[in-house]
Amino acid sequence: MKNYGSTPLSIFWFRRDLRLHDNHGFLLALKSGLPVLPVFIFDKNILGQLPRHDHRVEFIHRQLRQLNEQLVERGSGLHIEFGQPIEVYRRLFGALKIKSIFFNEDYEPYARQRDEHVSDLAKSQGVMVEACKDQVVFAKNEITKDNGQPYLVYTPYSRRWLAQLTAQSIKPFPSEKNLSRLLQYQPEAIPDLETLGFAVSDFAFPSDQTSVALLKNYAERRDLLAENGTSRLGLHLRFGTVSVRDLVARAQKTSLVFLKELIWREFFMQMLYHFPRTVNEPFDLRYQGMPWRNDKSDFAAWCEGRTGYPVVDAGMRELNATGHMHNRARMVVASFLTKHLLIDWRLGERYFAEKLLDFELSSNVGNWQWAAGCGCDAAPYFRVFNPELQAKKFDPEGRYVRRWVPEVGSASYLHPIVNHEVARQRALATYDQHLKRGNHENSFDRSNRSHR
């Protein structure tokens, strides 16, 4: 980049928006009047917490290579940095004549803190910063009660969300039609994964394409464990390889149920934005200090898919093998951990965070608190899923279970580690006694949450 030290530039900072099309911040950068340098930073603060074999980093790397190829075809390229973002920008400000930085907003606590620090540094250098809404249709305070307060319950939130939705709300941003303003330069090669400290594999990621037929049948098939009835788009939504505006437009034409799942995603995002403490604490503070059993052997059995409950074991084995778990199975295994085993929901949330390809902090926290009965709009604590009934209803032929637990029904399969009815009564008594006692101190270890 040394040859461009005197050229006034705009930067577009790619993060969770790894696409050239329908990209709000990218479009504004391209229309800024200056040549645009596309930048991506491998953030050491995040990568330092991940294992060597992390398929999400591999997915990002593949997407960056594709982005770079598309940019090179237009005489430009993707400038890759590795380090702490604030230090990277200090170097860039010293080496380049940067006039403005554009990026799309992120609503997670670490991302908000990171962006604030970078923005403050930029402004101290006289650099204009513009953060744009892109990963959601409605963000922050756009869907609120009449008094301006955030909704705490999904149903009224979704009603207002739908009432405010217009064609303009999901109008695409034609960034792909404005690429003539890219900086023309010869980019350096993208560093390989091994250089970044991660392993390479031939892992097969889910497609970013979803058929009309799947969406039209979504309501009827999405809960059937053995069917391919879900979109598998969570990974692509997480890293912005698809446009949420495009998905909403398609859902309007095909499936209200799928559209409402997209609204759930935004509901949990606005909850995390307004209540960042829920990463570590229950939204309903009455559940602080729950006397969780946190039995290590029970937790290990749950993690490894050897609880003796076939549908629970199938879900966990699917997760461990593929980085994915069927949505219905997620609810069953979360209920089992928090109710049957009385293990802290945060341990389950953290395990999912390590394993899920489509890990999204807001949805993960929101759904785990829902399962544990301590979140906003949560299932009541006395709702305890019966794994056997769930399997009969959503895997009636046992195909899902046999796929992941082939030894089921044989002498080699494990006995259940708890009895359903005994565990259910224990859970109800524990929750009930805790709420009556009113001792709501929080004792969870926060040591691994600094960048969440």
Side-chain angles (χ1 to χ4, degrees):
M1 298 304 300
K2 61 182 68 175
N3 296 332
Y4 297 94
S6 61
T7 302
L9 300 173
S10 286
I11 280 182
F12 178 68
W13 184 8
F14 280 101
R15 294 107 65 87
R16 294 181 49 180
D17 42 26
L18 303 181
R19 65 186 190 281
L20 299 186
H21 68 280
D22 190 12
N23 187 317
H24 189 186
F26 190 34
L27 176 63
L28 292 187
L30 292 167
K31 288 188 170 185
S32 68
L34 295 174
V36 174
L37 173 66
V39 170
F40 182 87
I41 301 172
F42 281 103
D43 188 341
K44 288 177 66 175
N45 293 331
I46 297 173
L47 297 185
Q49 300 182 76
L50 301 178
R52 174 172 167 77
H53 294 270
D54 193 297
H55 292 308
R56 293 165 295 194
V57 179
E58 190 173 2
F59 177 79
I60 292 170
H61 193 264
R62 289 189 197 180
Q63 294 304 131
L64 294 177
R65 289 174 61 184
Q66 291 181 21
L67 272 181
N68 191 54
E69 289 171 3
Q70 294 169 353
L71 292 167
V72 167
E73 289 175 359
R74 293 162 174 84
S76 188
L78 189 60
H79 180 69
I80 302 289
E81 291 275 358
F82 176 76
Q84 296 182 352
I86 193 72
E87 298 301 329
V88 167
Y89 275 104
R90 284 196 178 100
R91 292 198 301 270
L92 291 177
F93 290 148
L96 301 172
K97 196 172 183 179
I98 299 168
K99 295 297 184 181
S100 53
I101 300 173
F102 295 83
F103 56 80
N104 291 316
E105 292 174 330
D106 196 333
Y107 310 108
E108 296 183 0
Y110 167 68
R112 290 169 62 187
Q113 181 185 61
R114 172 201 64 200
D115 293 350
E116 182 180 355
H117 290 167
V118 169
S119 296
D120 288 345
L121 174 64
K123 292 170 185 175
S124 74
Q125 301 291 314
V127 176
M128 187 275 289
V129 175
E130 183 155 359
C132 308
K133 178 183 70 173
D134 183 77
Q135 63 175 281
V136 293
V137 175
F138 297 113
K140 296 182 179 178
N141 299 310
E142 293 185 321
I143 303 293
T144 60
K145 301 175 186 178
D146 290 339
N147 63 3
Q149 294 298 307
Y151 282 102
L152 308 183
V153 177
Y154 168 78
T155 299
Y157 173 87
S158 65
R159 288 198 191 107
R160 178 153 288 193
W161 194 102
L162 288 167
Q164 288 188 203
L165 183 66
T166 65
Q168 186 65 31
S169 306
I170 53 175
K171 184 178 179 181
F173 297 98
S175 45
E176 69 279 9
K177 297 179 181 179
N178 290 268
L179 300 179
S180 62
R181 295 304 302 171
L182 288 165
L183 176 68
Q184 301 296 291
Y185 81 108
Q186 185 71 36
E188 296 180 8
I190 293 179
D192 57 37
L193 274 176
E194 289 90 345
T195 301
L196 296 170
F198 291 89
V200 180
S201 75
D202 57 356
F203 192 85
F205 293 101
S207 170
D208 63 356
Q209 301 297 311
T210 300
S211 69
V212 171
L214 184 144
L215 293 179
K216 285 186 174 179
N217 294 317
Y218 184 81
E220 293 75 28
R221 299 182 64 198
R222 66 180 181 131
D223 277 323
L224 300 176
L225 290 164
E227 301 291 329
N228 293 319
T230 59
S231 74
R232 297 293 298 272
L233 289 175
L235 172 67
H236 297 283
L237 279 166
R238 169 70 172 130
F239 295 112
T241 53
V242 296
S243 160
V244 70
R245 290 171 291 278
D246 177 60
L247 288 182
V248 169
R250 293 174 61 196
Q252 282 184 304
K253 301 173 183 176
T254 54
S255 174
L256 178 60
V257 174
F258 182 69
L259 177 58
K260 288 185 174 180
E261 290 299 304
L262 296 174
I263 301 172
W264 265 110
R265 173 178 173 270
E266 298 202 358
F267 174 67
F268 281 141
M269 280 190 173
Q270 69 95 22
M271 287 301 301
L272 184 63
Y273 176 82
H274 288 286
F275 302 97
R277 66 172 178 80
T278 56
V279 171
N280 294 307
E281 299 177 353
F283 175 82
D284 187 337
L285 293 174
R286 293 178 302 159
Y287 293 91
Q288 291 259 48
M290 270 284 294
W292 303 107
R293 292 176 63 248
N294 289 345
D295 183 278
K296 291 183 178 179
S297 63
D298 282 357
F299 183 61
W302 178 85
C303 291
E304 295 164 13
R306 49 181 183 83
T307 67
Y309 282 86
V311 71
V312 174
D313 293 345
M316 296 306 296
R317 294 185 194 184
E318 180 187 22
L319 173 64
N320 292 332
T322 70
H324 172 75
M325 189 193 300
H326 192 284
N327 293 344
R328 171 56 56 172
R330 296 186 196 199
M331 290 190 281
V332 175
V333 304
S335 175
F336 188 86
L337 185 75
T338 56
K339 305 292 178 60
H340 284 74
L341 302 182
L342 277 175
I343 289 176
D344 195 326
W345 63 268
R346 289 164 288 201
L347 296 176
E349 189 273 331
R350 186 163 62 191
Y351 191 77
F352 270 30
E354 294 170 357
K355 296 292 184 178
L356 281 173
L357 286 176
D358 64 3
F359 166 68
E360 177 82 66
L361 180 60
S362 55
S363 295
N364 205 43
V365 167
N367 281 312
W368 270 98
Q369 292 204 22
W370 179 89
C374 62
C376 63
D377 201 10
Y381 76 84
F382 48 81
R383 182 183 185 185
V384 181
F385 282 178
N386 183 324
E388 293 178 345
L389 294 181
Q390 291 285 311
K392 288 178 181 178
K393 185 174 182 179
F394 300 111
D395 188 31
E397 298 174 358
R399 289 189 290 135
Y400 176 74
V401 162
R402 287 195 302 275
R403 184 185 308 160
W404 295 106
V405 191
E407 75 273 24
V408 70
S410 72
S412 64
Y413 187 54
L414 299 163
H415 292 292
I417 59 175
V418 290
N419 173 276
H420 166 67
E421 189 55 35
V422 171
R424 176 179 174 276
Q425 291 299 331
R426 180 178 65 184
L428 296 179
T430 301
Y431 272 79
D432 187 55
Q433 290 170 11
H434 171 74
L435 292 174
K436 287 179 178 176
R437 214 170 32 240
N439 180 18
H440 305 146
E441 294 181 1
N442 185 27
S443 59
F444 187 67
D445 177 12
R446 306 184 186 195
S447 60
N448 293 321
R449 293 309 184 101
S450 59
H451 300 306
R452 295 288 300 283

